């Protein structure tokens, strides 16, 4: 009796395994994988696109269709607010296809993904300072980049947001009677290149006002 039960148990496991595999996609031609992934993206199913991309990449490591697929997926994830995943895909793009021009473009897209992330609430405030450094490094590394006008606009908006954040923190410390902390932020404001600019306080929260 025990032998029959064990036999039935393993048979069921085998059937489930076969069923799972048969319901997935395997051993497809590169162009078929590409079409499936584009359909996933069009249907806004980025998790399924990830699964199909991973299978595609494992089956066809040298396919020329992998490069455009990877880039489209990174852009799609940025559009849908999946900025961490977008940056992961762009890092993979740099590792796989890192010519000088492609690295420049991918780095620009990473900066843009960070910039776009501030259009959504509850983002990491430290990312602003990091993004300022990344933009300045990028402009130093690629002084003649075609993306300079866009990056300079992003840089100004990041700096404006940081300035108003520091002002809000200074005012909060002053209200709480924490004069030493308030003075630290007052010094930051006085040392800012924006201190003499005629700035209007944003109506939206500081982390969104300059990115919309």
């Amino acid at each position: 009796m025990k032998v029959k039960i064990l036999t039935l148990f393993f048979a069921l496991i085998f059937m489930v395994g076969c069923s799972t595999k048969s319901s997935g996609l395997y051993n497809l031609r590169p162009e078929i994988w590409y079409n499936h992934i584009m359909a996933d993206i069009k249907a806004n199913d980025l998790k399924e696109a990830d699964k199909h991309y991973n299978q595609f990449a494992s089956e066809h490591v040298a396919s020329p269709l992998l490069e455009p697929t990877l880039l489209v997926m990174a852009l799609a994830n940025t559009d849908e607010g999946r900025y961490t995943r977008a940056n992961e895909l762009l890092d993979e793009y740099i590792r796989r296809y890192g010519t000088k021009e492609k690295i420049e473009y991918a780095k620009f897209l990473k900066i843009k993904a960070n910039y776009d992330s501030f259009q959504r609430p509850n983002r990491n405030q430290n990312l602003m300072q990091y993004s300022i450094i990344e933009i300045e490094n990028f402009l130093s590394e690629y002084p003649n980049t075609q993306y300079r006008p866009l990056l300079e606009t992003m840089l100004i908006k990041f700096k404006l947001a940081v300035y108003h954040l520091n002002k809000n923190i200074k005012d909060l410390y002053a209200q709480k009677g924490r004069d030493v902390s308030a003075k630290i932020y007052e010094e930051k404001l006085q040392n800012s290149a924006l201190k003499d600019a005629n700035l209007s306080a944003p109506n939206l929260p500081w982390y969104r006002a300059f990115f919309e």
Side-chain angles (χ1 to χ4, degrees):
M1 183 65 177
K2 289 183 178 180
V3 174
K4 289 183 178 180
I5 292 174
L6 287 173
T7 302
L8 179 60
F9 175 75
F10 286 115
L12 287 172
I13 291 177
F14 177 78
M15 291 172 64
V16 169
C18 290
S19 175
T20 301
K21 186 171 182 178
S22 64
S23 64
L25 298 174
Y26 298 90
N27 300 320
L28 302 180
R29 298 195 309 274
E31 61 271 21
I32 302 300
W33 277 122
Y34 178 84
N35 290 337
H36 274 294
I37 294 167
M38 294 305 109
D40 293 334
I41 292 172
K42 187 176 181 180
N44 200 28
D45 192 349
L46 297 182
K47 290 185 178 180
E48 197 67 15
D50 272 342
K51 293 177 184 177
H52 289 158
Y53 169 75
N54 290 334
Q55 188 65 28
F56 175 23
S58 68
E59 291 181 10
H60 303 282
V61 293
S63 171
L65 284 175
L66 276 177
E67 181 179 351
T69 302
L70 188 53
L71 198 54
V72 169
M73 286 187 59
L75 294 171
N77 276 273
T78 298
D79 288 344
E80 292 302 316
R82 301 178 75 208
Y83 303 107
T84 299
R85 180 57 180 154
N87 277 317
E88 290 172 352
L89 292 166
L90 289 168
D91 284 336
E92 182 177 347
Y93 182 83
I94 290 171
R95 287 195 302 271
R96 284 177 175 266
Y97 310 107
T99 65
K100 181 180 178 181
E101 292 77 13
K102 291 174 182 178
I103 290 174
E104 178 183 351
Y105 181 51
K107 285 183 176 180
F108 166 73
L109 290 179
K110 290 186 68 175
I111 292 171
K112 187 176 182 300
N114 290 340
Y115 175 84
D116 289 342
S117 74
F118 283 97
Q119 296 182 18
R120 295 168 181 260
N122 302 320
R123 302 303 302 173
N124 183 354
Q125 297 176 14
N126 291 330
L127 190 56
M128 280 199 304
Q129 292 286 4
Y130 172 79
S131 297
I132 288 172
I133 294 171
E134 286 293 294
I135 293 173
E136 290 175 341
N137 289 343
F138 186 98
L139 292 175
S140 176
E141 185 176 0
Y142 305 103
N144 300 316
T145 180
Q146 62 179 311
Y147 311 116
R148 176 175 284 276
L150 288 171
L151 289 168
E152 287 179 340
T153 299
M154 293 180 196
L155 184 60
I156 290 170
K157 290 188 175 184
F158 274 123
K159 288 184 175 181
L160 284 169
V162 169
Y163 182 86
H164 277 280
L165 172 62
N166 288 339
K167 187 176 185 301
N168 289 341
I169 294 174
K170 187 265 294 184
D171 292 342
L172 180 61
Y173 279 138
Q175 292 171 10
K176 298 291 185 180
R178 298 177 61 178
D179 296 337
V180 174
S181 297
K183 185 176 180 180
I184 291 172
Y185 279 88
E186 178 62 31
E187 289 175 355
K188 289 184 178 183
L189 295 172
Q190 291 303 315
N191 292 330
S192 171
L194 299 172
K195 71 181 180 69
D196 295 324
N198 185 19
L199 302 177
S200 299
N203 294 322
L204 291 170
W206 66 265
Y207 50 75
R208 295 183 60 190
F210 298 101
F211 302 93
E212 297 190 340

